[in-house]
Amino acid sequence: MMIEVYYPMRHKRLAAAITSIAILLSGCSGLPRERDQIYTDTLFDTVIRIEILDSVDDDVLKGCEEICKKYDAMFSNKIEDSEISRINAAGGNPVEVSGETVKLIKKALYYSDFSNGLFDITIAPVSKLWDFHSETPAPPPPEVLNEAASHVDYKNIIVKDNTIQLKDPHASIDVGGIAKGYIADRLKEYLKEQDVRHAIINLGGNVLAMGSRLDGSDYNIGIQKPFDDAGEPITSVRISNKSVVTSGTYQRYFKADGKLYHHILDPNTGLPCENSLNSVTVITDSSLTADALSTTCFLLGLDKSMQLIDQLDNVDAVFITKDNKIHYSKNFQHKIKK
């Protein structure tokens, strides 16, 4: 088997994140500032960056750091004592968790119902078989993948008061498709409480813009050209008080025997979703909503996603197909820079 290895999550995504922020904040304020107020870290399996444009005490950035680390410790299924890991290790028994974990899982179940199971946080038995960080990645054997996929069903999740139970003892949860959106929304709430009105929250490409730039102009958010090594944008959108989230094949992938395998998995088969899309970008008020919808729309494919987005209020989308053509939802409202 001939394998080509790519490391977009650790290396290319870092470059893309830096490029994206440069686009966002070039000429950012139009007003002098004493110094940048930025928190950067590697959490949630990606690079994160929070920049506050208003003048605030250092304690505010420290608070952002504490929030991010708290949620990483709660929601990561790779941290042994996280609340999600404790649910997964319980062998089908109920586990008492925090109210926030209950809230996150209830949101995930809502979008699972909304998408008729295309969005499914019990994808973990399948997702853990795909190691996109390995030096020699390979697709899982079909029989192993089929067995894992048989345990993917969000209807096995039982929420009762502050307990979460998986009816199938072999099921497990991965909230990677919704957690960053939830966390970005919580960071926004915290910053508003600290009287911050202008900030950019970027959790590995999940971008939430608070307010406008200091001079009153919109932020300019780049949408990456798929598989561009430098992370160059193919287009951009101009927003204020919105979240922009992209799901794309180029974010984590490898090639084996000339075939590309990416990280957006079909819960019915356990295999990477195959359709005409390379990426879906969703623009709306809530980062959690944008996060869940970007994955759902990718799995639906271009035509069905267009129909879905056009039925939703205050939601826009940008689709990049494999021929690098750009498609906008019918009622697209944001200024475009090509």
Side-chain angles (χ1 to χ4, degrees):
M1 174 180 287
M2 180 179 178
I3 297 173
E4 298 176 64
V5 184
Y6 302 83
Y7 299 101
M9 197 66 175
R10 293 296 184 190
H11 301 293
K12 290 183 187 175
R13 178 172 258 189
L14 174 58
I18 293 171
T19 301
S20 171
I21 289 295
I23 294 168
L24 287 167
L25 301 181
S26 58
C28 176
S29 65
L31 298 169
R33 286 190 290 152
E34 293 181 2
R35 59 188 175 86
D36 290 335
Q37 299 173 95
I38 300 171
Y39 164 57
T40 61
D41 212 332
T42 303
L43 294 170
F44 324 125
D45 203 25
T46 190
V47 176
I48 69 171
R49 174 180 169 126
I50 300 167
E51 178 159 3
I52 300 172
L53 308 186
D54 302 305
S55 295
V56 294
D57 293 336
D58 290 342
D59 288 348
V60 176
L61 275 180
K62 186 64 178 176
C64 291
E65 179 181 359
E66 291 171 356
I67 289 168
C68 289
K69 290 182 175 178
K70 177 188 79 170
Y71 285 128
D72 191 44
M74 287 171 61
F75 297 154
S76 173
N77 65 348
K78 297 178 176 65
I79 296 175
E80 187 174 349
D81 60 349
S82 74
E83 295 192 357
I84 297 300
S85 291
R86 290 197 292 109
I87 296 167
N88 292 344
N93 294 309
V95 176
E96 186 171 350
V97 295
S98 66
E100 289 205 86
T101 295
V102 170
K103 183 177 179 179
L104 177 66
I105 289 176
K106 283 183 174 179
K107 289 285 188 180
L109 292 176
Y110 169 83
Y111 282 104
S112 295
D113 279 331
F114 176 82
S115 66
N116 292 320
L118 279 179
F119 181 89
D120 194 324
I121 60 168
T122 62
I123 194 71
V126 165
S127 61
K128 70 181 181 181
L129 298 176
W130 294 88
D131 186 356
F132 292 94
H133 300 313
S134 170
E135 293 185 3
T136 56
E143 63 276 9
V144 175
L145 199 57
N146 289 338
E147 165 62 18
S150 71
H151 300 292
V152 177
D153 186 351
Y154 72 94
K155 294 179 181 178
N156 283 319
I157 300 174
I158 300 173
V159 181
K160 184 176 181 181
D161 298 327
N162 265 29
T163 65
I164 307 294
Q165 181 180 6
L166 295 170
K167 288 192 296 183
D168 178 354
H170 300 292
S172 54
I173 292 172
D174 180 346
V175 294
I178 197 169
K180 287 188 294 181
Y182 178 89
I183 296 162
D185 288 338
R186 301 291 77 74
L187 285 164
K188 177 181 177 180
E189 289 177 357
Y190 163 75
L191 289 173
K192 287 179 71 175
E193 291 171 357
Q194 306 304 314
D195 294 324
V196 172
R197 295 294 178 263
H198 307 271
I200 286 288
I201 300 164
N202 187 339
L203 306 184
N206 286 47
V207 178
L208 192 157
M210 290 185 63
S212 63
R213 302 193 294 185
L214 290 180
D215 62 4
S217 62
D218 291 336
Y219 297 100
N220 192 33
I221 311 295
I223 297 174
Q224 186 178 336
K225 182 178 181 180
F227 302 104
D228 184 89
D229 289 347
E232 290 296 322
I234 192 171
T235 187
S236 65
V237 295
R238 296 175 182 175
I239 62 164
S240 296
N241 279 319
K242 295 286 180 181
S243 187
V244 179
V245 179
T246 298
S247 292
T249 56
Y250 57 88
Q251 292 169 330
R252 277 179 285 172
Y253 68 98
F254 63 86
K255 287 183 179 179
D257 292 334
K259 181 177 176 61
L260 185 142
Y261 296 91
H262 61 80
H263 76 292
I264 306 174
L265 305 175
D266 184 332
N268 296 307
T269 65
L271 291 165
C273 174
E274 292 192 19
N275 57 37
S276 66
L277 293 171
N278 265 337
S279 74
V280 176
T281 299
V282 174
I283 306 147
T284 191
D285 293 341
S286 162
S287 191
L288 182 147
T289 298
D291 210 356
L293 285 179
S294 67
T295 301
T296 298
C297 286
F298 191 99
L299 291 163
L300 278 172
L302 179 62
D303 292 339
K304 290 182 179 179
S305 291
M306 284 279 203
Q307 294 172 17
L308 171 63
I309 295 297
D310 290 341
Q311 294 172 17
L312 300 176
D313 293 331
N314 195 32
V315 180
D316 289 327
V318 182
F319 305 88
I320 312 297
T321 46
K322 289 180 178 178
D323 55 7
N324 271 346
K325 289 185 178 178
I326 306 170
H327 308 261
Y328 300 98
S329 53
K330 182 178 178 182
N331 298 316
F332 194 85
Q333 298 176 16
H334 302 283
K335 297 176 183 178
I336 304 163
K337 181 179 180 181
K338 295 184 179 179

